[in-house]
């Protein structure tokens, strides 16, 4: 077991999008980074860009919906580097339908990944962080948790709202062990999910941001760096909006149902 003092960060969903940007930012800070993703090839590609030698970055197969996979992945990382100081819960998926058309299978899959997956990964790292005297858990939520998602769907909104409740409760429970638990709530962000949307949708998203542009994954990563740094040592149980002011005057645009093919 390697028990050197260099900090260790685990990023679920680190193989792409916001998770990959977070992994790059943590690595640039000097952390050793485990890219934990169900897509091991994508995770490995990110790890190679961070450190081709594998000494400071590694890929771990990690299915956040499977408790055994989560426990095995956390055990592998702990065995490799002897500690975990930061967990970033970035794994997530979205649905894109209104409630009356949403299948139960889709509902269950979105909740399992975004909410239950966050719970399983967070629970698994708490005893590891306790052993090293504390740590930071940061979850990528969404401003949808504070209103609704007009490009995702009902399951996404419910899951992300649940993430904020989970964040508050875990922050209370983990404080005795000096583990801080916070969330970042991105607004419209340029991710692969955004690239798949209709141009009309993307234009509407940009128009909803008072600062005049979509966020970049690196913008979200900067917030994660802060919440996992000594600079936020007295911050826990919070949900930090990184949305360019989108929540200041958001409203449900008239094309909501049109974008989903109309009402049932």
């Amino acid at each position: 077991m390697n028990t050197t003092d260099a900090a260790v960060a685990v990023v679920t969903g680190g193989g792409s999008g916001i998770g990959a940007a977070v992994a790059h930012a943590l690595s640039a800070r000097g952390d050793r980074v485990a890219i934990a993703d169900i897509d091991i090839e994508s995770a490995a590609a990110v790890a190679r860009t961070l450190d081709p030698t594998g000494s400071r970055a590694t890929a771990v197969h990690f299915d956040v919906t499977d408790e055994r996979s989560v426990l095995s992945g956390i055990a592998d990382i702990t065995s490799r580097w002897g500690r975990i100081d930061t967990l970033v819960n970035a794994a997530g998926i979205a649905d894109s339908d209104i409630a009356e058309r949403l299948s139960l299978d889709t509902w269950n899959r979105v909740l399992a990944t975004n909410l239950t997956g966050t719970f399983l990964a967070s629970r698994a790292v708490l005893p590891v962080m306790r052993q090293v005297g504390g740590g930071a858990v940061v979850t990528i939520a969404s401003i949808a948790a504070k209103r609704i998602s007009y490009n995702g769907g009902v399951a996404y909104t419910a899951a992300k709202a649940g993430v904020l409740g989970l964040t508050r409760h875990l922050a209370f429970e983990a404080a005795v062990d000096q583990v801080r638990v916070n969330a970042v709530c991105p607004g419209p962000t340029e991710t692969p999910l955004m690239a798949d949307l209709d141009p009309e949708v993307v234009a509407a998203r940009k128009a909803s941001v008072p600062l005049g542009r979509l966020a970049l994954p690196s913008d979200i990563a900067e917030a994660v760096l802060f919440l996992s740094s000594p600079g936020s040592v007295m911050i826990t149980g919070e949900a930090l909006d990184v949305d360019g002011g989108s929540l200041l005057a958001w409203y449900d645009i008239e094309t909501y149902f049109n974008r989903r093919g109309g009402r049932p």
Side-chain angles (χ1 to χ4, degrees):
M1 178 184 292
N2 186 335
T3 56
T4 59
D5 291 334
V8 173
V10 179
V11 183
T12 74
S16 63
I18 291 172
V22 169
H24 278 270
L26 291 167
S27 179
R29 182 171 73 182
D31 292 9
R32 292 171 289 176
V33 183
I35 295 90
D37 203 297
I38 194 169
D39 184 345
I40 190 62
E41 292 183 0
S42 294
V46 172
R48 286 193 297 270
T49 66
L50 300 182
D51 179 13
T53 71
S55 62
R56 300 191 64 82
T58 189
V60 180
H61 181 265
F62 209 89
D63 179 355
V64 296
T65 69
D66 183 333
E67 182 178 18
R68 284 184 293 184
S69 176
V70 170
L71 292 174
S72 175
I74 294 300
D76 287 348
I77 296 162
T78 307
S79 176
R80 179 185 179 90
W81 283 328
R83 61 189 299 138
I84 295 174
D85 303 271
T86 299
L87 167 68
V88 181
N89 292 301
I93 60 174
D95 61 302
S96 58
D97 220 336
I98 62 175
E100 291 179 71
R101 287 202 302 261
L102 187 72
S103 71
L104 181 58
D105 285 346
T106 298
W107 169 272
N108 287 338
R109 187 168 66 252
V110 173
L111 269 290
T113 302
N114 295 348
L115 180 55
T116 304
T118 295
F119 166 70
L120 291 175
S122 301
R123 184 180 66 175
V125 301
L126 291 179
V128 183
M129 290 181 173
R130 182 184 305 121
Q131 291 177 359
V132 297
V137 176
V138 184
T139 299
I140 306 301
S142 170
I143 60 171
K146 299 185 176 184
R147 38 88 165 164
I148 70 165
S149 170
Y150 60 73
N151 285 323
V154 61
Y156 185 82
T157 298
K160 293 301 187 179
V163 162
L164 296 193
L166 176 64
T167 296
R168 291 191 299 271
H169 196 95
L170 288 182
F172 179 79
E173 289 191 359
V176 67
D177 294 313
Q178 299 301 305
V179 176
R180 298 180 298 104
V181 186
N182 292 289
V184 173
C185 296
T189 305
E190 291 187 11
T191 66
L193 288 176
M194 185 68 72
D196 292 336
L197 295 176
D198 185 278
E200 178 194 17
V201 177
V202 177
R205 296 307 300 266
K206 289 182 179 178
S208 73
V209 182
L211 286 182
R213 69 169 176 87
L214 300 178
L216 300 174
S218 57
D219 297 323
I220 312 306
E222 288 295 328
V224 173
L225 284 182
F226 170 66
L227 289 174
S228 62
S229 74
S232 61
V233 68
M234 285 298 290
I235 299 175
T236 193
E238 294 298 321
L240 176 62
D241 300 329
V242 185
D243 68 345
S246 296
L247 283 178
L248 297 176
W250 181 87
Y251 62 97
D252 185 14
I253 58 179
E254 295 178 359
T255 55
Y256 179 91
F257 288 105
N258 290 338
R259 289 174 179 173
R260 286 154 180 77
R263 295 178 183 270

PDB file of all heavy atoms in Angstrom, residues 136-139 146 163-175 179-185 227 232-240:
ATOM      1  N   ALA A 136     -13.395  15.659   1.475  1.00  0.00           N
ATOM      2  CA  ALA A 136     -14.444  16.453   0.835  1.00  0.00           C
ATOM      3  C   ALA A 136     -15.170  15.600  -0.193  1.00  0.00           C
ATOM      4  O   ALA A 136     -14.542  14.915  -1.004  1.00  0.00           O
ATOM      5  CB  ALA A 136     -13.857  17.691   0.162  1.00  0.00           C
ATOM      6  N   VAL A 137     -16.496  15.653  -0.134  1.00  0.00           N
ATOM      7  CA  VAL A 137     -17.355  15.034  -1.146  1.00  0.00           C
ATOM      8  C   VAL A 137     -18.057  16.166  -1.872  1.00  0.00           C
ATOM      9  O   VAL A 137     -18.686  17.016  -1.237  1.00  0.00           O
ATOM     10  CB  VAL A 137     -18.389  14.086  -0.509  1.00  0.00           C
ATOM     11  CG1 VAL A 137     -19.332  13.537  -1.578  1.00  0.00           C
ATOM     12  CG2 VAL A 137     -17.696  12.952   0.238  1.00  0.00           C
ATOM     13  N   VAL A 138     -17.936  16.181  -3.190  1.00  0.00           N
ATOM     14  CA  VAL A 138     -18.595  17.209  -3.999  1.00  0.00           C
ATOM     15  C   VAL A 138     -19.398  16.500  -5.086  1.00  0.00           C
ATOM     16  O   VAL A 138     -18.845  15.706  -5.848  1.00  0.00           O
ATOM     17  CB  VAL A 138     -17.586  18.170  -4.649  1.00  0.00           C
ATOM     18  CG1 VAL A 138     -18.339  19.272  -5.402  1.00  0.00           C
ATOM     19  CG2 VAL A 138     -16.662  18.774  -3.609  1.00  0.00           C
ATOM     20  N   THR A 139     -20.679  16.784  -5.148  1.00  0.00           N
ATOM     21  CA  THR A 139     -21.555  16.145  -6.124  1.00  0.00           C
ATOM     22  C   THR A 139     -22.001  17.154  -7.174  1.00  0.00           C
ATOM     23  O   THR A 139     -22.357  18.287  -6.846  1.00  0.00           O
ATOM     24  CB  THR A 139     -22.790  15.541  -5.434  1.00  0.00           C
ATOM     25  OG1 THR A 139     -22.355  14.545  -4.501  1.00  0.00           O
ATOM     26  CG2 THR A 139     -23.726  14.896  -6.451  1.00  0.00           C
ATOM     27  N   LYS A 146     -33.429  22.964  -8.236  1.00  0.00           N
ATOM     28  CA  LYS A 146     -34.024  24.105  -7.554  1.00  0.00           C
ATOM     29  C   LYS A 146     -35.235  24.668  -8.280  1.00  0.00           C
ATOM     30  O   LYS A 146     -35.860  25.600  -7.786  1.00  0.00           O
ATOM     31  CB  LYS A 146     -32.969  25.195  -7.358  1.00  0.00           C
ATOM     32  CG  LYS A 146     -31.795  24.735  -6.502  1.00  0.00           C
ATOM     33  CD  LYS A 146     -30.830  25.860  -6.224  1.00  0.00           C
ATOM     34  CE  LYS A 146     -29.707  25.386  -5.288  1.00  0.00           C
ATOM     35  NZ  LYS A 146     -28.802  26.497  -4.922  1.00  0.00           N
ATOM     36  N   VAL A 163     -30.528  14.666  -4.704  1.00  0.00           N
ATOM     37  CA  VAL A 163     -29.099  14.828  -4.447  1.00  0.00           C
ATOM     38  C   VAL A 163     -28.848  15.966  -3.451  1.00  0.00           C
ATOM     39  O   VAL A 163     -27.992  15.855  -2.566  1.00  0.00           O
ATOM     40  CB  VAL A 163     -28.331  15.080  -5.760  1.00  0.00           C
ATOM     41  CG1 VAL A 163     -26.957  15.689  -5.500  1.00  0.00           C
ATOM     42  CG2 VAL A 163     -28.186  13.778  -6.537  1.00  0.00           C
ATOM     43  N   LEU A 164     -29.612  17.047  -3.566  1.00  0.00           N
ATOM     44  CA  LEU A 164     -29.404  18.158  -2.634  1.00  0.00           C
ATOM     45  C   LEU A 164     -29.837  17.780  -1.220  1.00  0.00           C
ATOM     46  O   LEU A 164     -29.182  18.166  -0.241  1.00  0.00           O
ATOM     47  CB  LEU A 164     -30.155  19.400  -3.112  1.00  0.00           C
ATOM     48  CG  LEU A 164     -29.704  19.991  -4.440  1.00  0.00           C
ATOM     49  CD1 LEU A 164     -30.311  21.383  -4.635  1.00  0.00           C
ATOM     50  CD2 LEU A 164     -28.191  20.042  -4.562  1.00  0.00           C
ATOM     51  N   GLY A 165     -30.932  17.016  -1.101  1.00  0.00           N
ATOM     52  CA  GLY A 165     -31.323  16.536   0.213  1.00  0.00           C
ATOM     53  C   GLY A 165     -30.284  15.592   0.800  1.00  0.00           C
ATOM     54  O   GLY A 165     -29.949  15.664   1.995  1.00  0.00           O
ATOM     55  N   LEU A 166     -29.770  14.713  -0.038  1.00  0.00           N
ATOM     56  CA  LEU A 166     -28.723  13.787   0.392  1.00  0.00           C
ATOM     57  C   LEU A 166     -27.478  14.554   0.831  1.00  0.00           C
ATOM     58  O   LEU A 166     -26.847  14.216   1.845  1.00  0.00           O
ATOM     59  CB  LEU A 166     -28.390  12.837  -0.762  1.00  0.00           C
ATOM     60  CG  LEU A 166     -27.246  11.850  -0.541  1.00  0.00           C
ATOM     61  CD1 LEU A 166     -27.578  10.868   0.574  1.00  0.00           C
ATOM     62  CD2 LEU A 166     -26.936  11.100  -1.834  1.00  0.00           C
ATOM     63  N   THR A 167     -27.123  15.584   0.084  1.00  0.00           N
ATOM     64  CA  THR A 167     -25.954  16.402   0.419  1.00  0.00           C
ATOM     65  C   THR A 167     -26.092  17.011   1.799  1.00  0.00           C
ATOM     66  O   THR A 167     -25.168  16.954   2.622  1.00  0.00           O
ATOM     67  CB  THR A 167     -25.766  17.505  -0.635  1.00  0.00           C
ATOM     68  OG1 THR A 167     -25.476  16.902  -1.899  1.00  0.00           O
ATOM     69  CG2 THR A 167     -24.650  18.466  -0.249  1.00  0.00           C
ATOM     70  N   ARG A 168     -27.244  17.610   2.075  1.00  0.00           N
ATOM     71  CA  ARG A 168     -27.449  18.233   3.391  1.00  0.00           C
ATOM     72  C   ARG A 168     -27.348  17.199   4.507  1.00  0.00           C
ATOM     73  O   ARG A 168     -26.715  17.437   5.542  1.00  0.00           O
ATOM     74  CB  ARG A 168     -28.817  18.917   3.443  1.00  0.00           C
ATOM     75  CG  ARG A 168     -28.944  20.143   2.562  1.00  0.00           C
ATOM     76  CD  ARG A 168     -30.225  20.904   2.876  1.00  0.00           C
ATOM     77  NE  ARG A 168     -31.423  20.103   2.636  1.00  0.00           N
ATOM     78  CZ  ARG A 168     -32.060  20.036   1.464  1.00  0.00           C
ATOM     79  NH1 ARG A 168     -31.593  20.709   0.422  1.00  0.00           N
ATOM     80  NH2 ARG A 168     -33.157  19.317   1.340  1.00  0.00           N
ATOM     81  N   HIS A 169     -27.987  16.042   4.303  1.00  0.00           N
ATOM     82  CA  HIS A 169     -28.011  15.053   5.377  1.00  0.00           C
ATOM     83  C   HIS A 169     -26.627  14.442   5.610  1.00  0.00           C
ATOM     84  O   HIS A 169     -26.194  14.299   6.766  1.00  0.00           O
ATOM     85  CB  HIS A 169     -29.020  13.951   5.068  1.00  0.00           C
ATOM     86  CG  HIS A 169     -29.357  13.133   6.276  1.00  0.00           C
ATOM     87  ND1 HIS A 169     -30.444  13.394   7.074  1.00  0.00           N
ATOM     88  CD2 HIS A 169     -28.705  12.089   6.844  1.00  0.00           C
ATOM     89  CE1 HIS A 169     -30.461  12.535   8.085  1.00  0.00           C
ATOM     90  NE2 HIS A 169     -29.422  11.732   7.965  1.00  0.00           N
ATOM     91  N   LEU A 170     -25.926  14.088   4.546  1.00  0.00           N
ATOM     92  CA  LEU A 170     -24.592  13.525   4.715  1.00  0.00           C
ATOM     93  C   LEU A 170     -23.635  14.544   5.336  1.00  0.00           C
ATOM     94  O   LEU A 170     -22.750  14.173   6.113  1.00  0.00           O
ATOM     95  CB  LEU A 170     -24.041  13.050   3.372  1.00  0.00           C
ATOM     96  CG  LEU A 170     -24.666  11.793   2.780  1.00  0.00           C
ATOM     97  CD1 LEU A 170     -23.974  11.439   1.466  1.00  0.00           C
ATOM     98  CD2 LEU A 170     -24.599  10.614   3.739  1.00  0.00           C
ATOM     99  N   ALA A 171     -23.818  15.823   4.983  1.00  0.00           N
ATOM    100  CA  ALA A 171     -22.963  16.851   5.572  1.00  0.00           C
ATOM    101  C   ALA A 171     -23.113  16.870   7.086  1.00  0.00           C
ATOM    102  O   ALA A 171     -22.130  17.009   7.825  1.00  0.00           O
ATOM    103  CB  ALA A 171     -23.314  18.215   4.985  1.00  0.00           C
ATOM    104  N   PHE A 172     -24.347  16.722   7.567  1.00  0.00           N
ATOM    105  CA  PHE A 172     -24.590  16.705   9.003  1.00  0.00           C
ATOM    106  C   PHE A 172     -23.958  15.480   9.655  1.00  0.00           C
ATOM    107  O   PHE A 172     -23.271  15.584  10.674  1.00  0.00           O
ATOM    108  CB  PHE A 172     -26.097  16.733   9.271  1.00  0.00           C
ATOM    109  CG  PHE A 172     -26.445  16.688  10.729  1.00  0.00           C
ATOM    110  CD1 PHE A 172     -26.349  17.825  11.510  1.00  0.00           C
ATOM    111  CD2 PHE A 172     -26.870  15.511  11.315  1.00  0.00           C
ATOM    112  CE1 PHE A 172     -26.668  17.783  12.861  1.00  0.00           C
ATOM    113  CE2 PHE A 172     -27.188  15.461  12.661  1.00  0.00           C
ATOM    114  CZ  PHE A 172     -27.088  16.598  13.436  1.00  0.00           C
ATOM    115  N   GLU A 173     -24.162  14.323   9.046  1.00  0.00           N
ATOM    116  CA  GLU A 173     -23.653  13.085   9.638  1.00  0.00           C
ATOM    117  C   GLU A 173     -22.127  13.014   9.618  1.00  0.00           C
ATOM    118  O   GLU A 173     -21.502  12.490  10.540  1.00  0.00           O
ATOM    119  CB  GLU A 173     -24.223  11.874   8.897  1.00  0.00           C
ATOM    120  CG  GLU A 173     -25.698  11.621   9.148  1.00  0.00           C
ATOM    121  CD  GLU A 173     -26.150  10.273   8.609  1.00  0.00           C
ATOM    122  OE1 GLU A 173     -25.321   9.543   8.031  1.00  0.00           O
ATOM    123  OE2 GLU A 173     -27.345   9.956   8.770  1.00  0.00           O
ATOM    124  N   ALA A 174     -21.509  13.528   8.542  1.00  0.00           N
ATOM    125  CA  ALA A 174     -20.069  13.342   8.346  1.00  0.00           C
ATOM    126  C   ALA A 174     -19.237  14.432   9.014  1.00  0.00           C
ATOM    127  O   ALA A 174     -18.012  14.306   9.100  1.00  0.00           O
ATOM    128  CB  ALA A 174     -19.750  13.301   6.849  1.00  0.00           C
ATOM    129  N   ALA A 175     -19.884  15.481   9.498  1.00  0.00           N
ATOM    130  CA  ALA A 175     -19.133  16.597  10.061  1.00  0.00           C
ATOM    131  C   ALA A 175     -18.270  16.183  11.247  1.00  0.00           C
ATOM    132  O   ALA A 175     -17.165  16.703  11.436  1.00  0.00           O
ATOM    133  CB  ALA A 175     -20.086  17.717  10.472  1.00  0.00           C
ATOM    134  N   VAL A 179     -15.436  15.498   7.485  1.00  0.00           N
ATOM    135  CA  VAL A 179     -15.723  15.281   6.066  1.00  0.00           C
ATOM    136  C   VAL A 179     -16.791  16.295   5.659  1.00  0.00           C
ATOM    137  O   VAL A 179     -17.882  16.316   6.236  1.00  0.00           O
ATOM    138  CB  VAL A 179     -16.216  13.852   5.791  1.00  0.00           C
ATOM    139  CG1 VAL A 179     -16.603  13.696   4.306  1.00  0.00           C
ATOM    140  CG2 VAL A 179     -15.149  12.833   6.169  1.00  0.00           C
ATOM    141  N   ARG A 180     -16.455  17.114   4.688  1.00  0.00           N
ATOM    142  CA  ARG A 180     -17.389  18.123   4.200  1.00  0.00           C
ATOM    143  C   ARG A 180     -18.098  17.594   2.952  1.00  0.00           C
ATOM    144  O   ARG A 180     -17.481  16.966   2.102  1.00  0.00           O
ATOM    145  CB  ARG A 180     -16.662  19.429   3.883  1.00  0.00           C
ATOM    146  CG  ARG A 180     -16.009  20.038   5.125  1.00  0.00           C
ATOM    147  CD  ARG A 180     -15.287  21.333   4.831  1.00  0.00           C
ATOM    148  NE  ARG A 180     -14.202  21.147   3.882  1.00  0.00           N
ATOM    149  CZ  ARG A 180     -14.247  21.506   2.597  1.00  0.00           C
ATOM    150  NH1 ARG A 180     -15.338  22.058   2.087  1.00  0.00           N
ATOM    151  NH2 ARG A 180     -13.200  21.315   1.812  1.00  0.00           N
ATOM    152  N   VAL A 181     -19.389  17.874   2.860  1.00  0.00           N
ATOM    153  CA  VAL A 181     -20.202  17.364   1.748  1.00  0.00           C
ATOM    154  C   VAL A 181     -20.961  18.531   1.126  1.00  0.00           C
ATOM    155  O   VAL A 181     -21.765  19.181   1.801  1.00  0.00           O
ATOM    156  CB  VAL A 181     -21.191  16.281   2.226  1.00  0.00           C
ATOM    157  CG1 VAL A 181     -21.909  15.656   1.026  1.00  0.00           C
ATOM    158  CG2 VAL A 181     -20.467  15.202   3.035  1.00  0.00           C
ATOM    159  N   ASN A 182     -20.682  18.812  -0.135  1.00  0.00           N
ATOM    160  CA  ASN A 182     -21.314  19.920  -0.831  1.00  0.00           C
ATOM    161  C   ASN A 182     -21.715  19.506  -2.239  1.00  0.00           C
ATOM    162  O   ASN A 182     -21.345  18.425  -2.711  1.00  0.00           O
ATOM    163  CB  ASN A 182     -20.347  21.115  -0.905  1.00  0.00           C
ATOM    164  CG  ASN A 182     -20.090  21.741   0.457  1.00  0.00           C
ATOM    165  OD1 ASN A 182     -20.961  22.378   1.030  1.00  0.00           O
ATOM    166  ND2 ASN A 182     -18.876  21.551   0.971  1.00  0.00           N
ATOM    167  N   ALA A 183     -22.466  20.368  -2.893  1.00  0.00           N
ATOM    168  CA  ALA A 183     -22.886  20.113  -4.270  1.00  0.00           C
ATOM    169  C   ALA A 183     -22.625  21.347  -5.122  1.00  0.00           C
ATOM    170  O   ALA A 183     -22.613  22.477  -4.619  1.00  0.00           O
ATOM    171  CB  ALA A 183     -24.371  19.754  -4.328  1.00  0.00           C
ATOM    172  N   VAL A 184     -22.420  21.109  -6.393  1.00  0.00           N
ATOM    173  CA  VAL A 184     -22.334  22.176  -7.389  1.00  0.00           C
ATOM    174  C   VAL A 184     -23.524  22.016  -8.317  1.00  0.00           C
ATOM    175  O   VAL A 184     -23.831  20.907  -8.771  1.00  0.00           O
ATOM    176  CB  VAL A 184     -21.021  22.087  -8.189  1.00  0.00           C
ATOM    177  CG1 VAL A 184     -21.018  23.097  -9.339  1.00  0.00           C
ATOM    178  CG2 VAL A 184     -19.822  22.315  -7.281  1.00  0.00           C
ATOM    179  N   CYS A 185     -24.206  23.118  -8.587  1.00  0.00           N
ATOM    180  CA  CYS A 185     -25.403  23.091  -9.439  1.00  0.00           C
ATOM    181  C   CYS A 185     -25.113  23.831 -10.741  1.00  0.00           C
ATOM    182  O   CYS A 185     -25.294  25.060 -10.814  1.00  0.00           O
ATOM    183  CB  CYS A 185     -26.586  23.724  -8.721  1.00  0.00           C
ATOM    184  SG  CYS A 185     -27.118  22.837  -7.253  1.00  0.00           S
ATOM    185  N   LEU A 227     -14.499  23.878  -3.594  1.00  0.00           N
ATOM    186  CA  LEU A 227     -15.213  23.149  -2.544  1.00  0.00           C
ATOM    187  C   LEU A 227     -14.422  21.962  -2.000  1.00  0.00           C
ATOM    188  O   LEU A 227     -14.799  21.402  -0.963  1.00  0.00           O
ATOM    189  CB  LEU A 227     -16.577  22.693  -3.057  1.00  0.00           C
ATOM    190  CG  LEU A 227     -17.599  23.809  -3.253  1.00  0.00           C
ATOM    191  CD1 LEU A 227     -18.866  23.271  -3.898  1.00  0.00           C
ATOM    192  CD2 LEU A 227     -17.931  24.501  -1.923  1.00  0.00           C
ATOM    193  N   SER A 232     -12.315  26.323   1.482  1.00  0.00           N
ATOM    194  CA  SER A 232     -13.736  26.138   1.825  1.00  0.00           C
ATOM    195  C   SER A 232     -13.890  25.295   3.083  1.00  0.00           C
ATOM    196  O   SER A 232     -14.887  24.600   3.259  1.00  0.00           O
ATOM    197  CB  SER A 232     -14.471  25.465   0.662  1.00  0.00           C
ATOM    198  OG  SER A 232     -13.938  24.181   0.388  1.00  0.00           O
ATOM    199  N   VAL A 233     -12.915  25.390   3.973  1.00  0.00           N
ATOM    200  CA  VAL A 233     -12.859  24.501   5.123  1.00  0.00           C
ATOM    201  C   VAL A 233     -14.067  24.627   6.048  1.00  0.00           C
ATOM    202  O   VAL A 233     -14.409  23.681   6.776  1.00  0.00           O
ATOM    203  CB  VAL A 233     -11.550  24.733   5.911  1.00  0.00           C
ATOM    204  CG1 VAL A 233     -11.545  26.106   6.578  1.00  0.00           C
ATOM    205  CG2 VAL A 233     -11.321  23.631   6.933  1.00  0.00           C
ATOM    206  N   MET A 234     -14.762  25.761   6.009  1.00  0.00           N
ATOM    207  CA  MET A 234     -15.945  25.940   6.863  1.00  0.00           C
ATOM    208  C   MET A 234     -17.248  25.901   6.068  1.00  0.00           C
ATOM    209  O   MET A 234     -18.284  26.375   6.528  1.00  0.00           O
ATOM    210  CB  MET A 234     -15.848  27.261   7.638  1.00  0.00           C
ATOM    211  CG  MET A 234     -14.853  27.201   8.781  1.00  0.00           C
ATOM    212  SD  MET A 234     -15.300  25.977  10.062  1.00  0.00           S
ATOM    213  CE  MET A 234     -16.728  26.778  10.796  1.00  0.00           C
ATOM    214  N   ILE A 235     -17.206  25.314   4.883  1.00  0.00           N
ATOM    215  CA  ILE A 235     -18.401  25.214   4.044  1.00  0.00           C
ATOM    216  C   ILE A 235     -18.813  23.758   3.927  1.00  0.00           C
ATOM    217  O   ILE A 235     -18.031  22.930   3.442  1.00  0.00           O
ATOM    218  CB  ILE A 235     -18.147  25.800   2.643  1.00  0.00           C
ATOM    219  CG1 ILE A 235     -17.778  27.283   2.744  1.00  0.00           C
ATOM    220  CG2 ILE A 235     -19.387  25.622   1.760  1.00  0.00           C
ATOM    221  CD1 ILE A 235     -17.399  27.912   1.419  1.00  0.00           C
ATOM    222  N   THR A 236     -20.006  23.440   4.361  1.00  0.00           N
ATOM    223  CA  THR A 236     -20.522  22.085   4.200  1.00  0.00           C
ATOM    224  C   THR A 236     -22.052  22.136   4.144  1.00  0.00           C
ATOM    225  O   THR A 236     -22.684  23.029   4.718  1.00  0.00           O
ATOM    226  CB  THR A 236     -20.042  21.153   5.325  1.00  0.00           C
ATOM    227  OG1 THR A 236     -20.308  19.788   4.962  1.00  0.00           O
ATOM    228  CG2 THR A 236     -20.695  21.469   6.662  1.00  0.00           C
ATOM    229  N   GLY A 237     -22.618  21.199   3.404  1.00  0.00           N
ATOM    230  CA  GLY A 237     -24.064  21.127   3.252  1.00  0.00           C
ATOM    231  C   GLY A 237     -24.627  22.147   2.279  1.00  0.00           C
ATOM    232  O   GLY A 237     -25.837  22.365   2.239  1.00  0.00           O
ATOM    233  N   GLU A 238     -23.777  22.741   1.446  1.00  0.00           N
ATOM    234  CA  GLU A 238     -24.207  23.809   0.547  1.00  0.00           C
ATOM    235  C   GLU A 238     -24.369  23.314  -0.885  1.00  0.00           C
ATOM    236  O   GLU A 238     -23.786  22.298  -1.275  1.00  0.00           O
ATOM    237  CB  GLU A 238     -23.202  24.967   0.577  1.00  0.00           C
ATOM    238  CG  GLU A 238     -23.139  25.695   1.909  1.00  0.00           C
ATOM    239  CD  GLU A 238     -24.460  26.344   2.271  1.00  0.00           C
ATOM    240  OE1 GLU A 238     -25.132  26.895   1.379  1.00  0.00           O
ATOM    241  OE2 GLU A 238     -24.830  26.284   3.462  1.00  0.00           O
ATOM    242  N   ALA A 239     -25.135  24.063  -1.657  1.00  0.00           N
ATOM    243  CA  ALA A 239     -25.319  23.789  -3.083  1.00  0.00           C
ATOM    244  C   ALA A 239     -24.984  25.070  -3.841  1.00  0.00           C
ATOM    245  O   ALA A 239     -25.748  26.031  -3.814  1.00  0.00           O
ATOM    246  CB  ALA A 239     -26.749  23.357  -3.381  1.00  0.00           C
ATOM    247  N   LEU A 240     -23.833  25.089  -4.479  1.00  0.00           N
ATOM    248  CA  LEU A 240     -23.306  26.279  -5.144  1.00  0.00           C
ATOM    249  C   LEU A 240     -23.780  26.327  -6.590  1.00  0.00           C
ATOM    250  O   LEU A 240     -23.471  25.430  -7.388  1.00  0.00           O
ATOM    251  CB  LEU A 240     -21.775  26.259  -5.086  1.00  0.00           C
ATOM    252  CG  LEU A 240     -21.042  27.378  -5.825  1.00  0.00           C
ATOM    253  CD1 LEU A 240     -21.398  28.737  -5.223  1.00  0.00           C
ATOM    254  CD2 LEU A 240     -19.534  27.145  -5.759  1.00  0.00           C
TER     255      LEU A 240
END
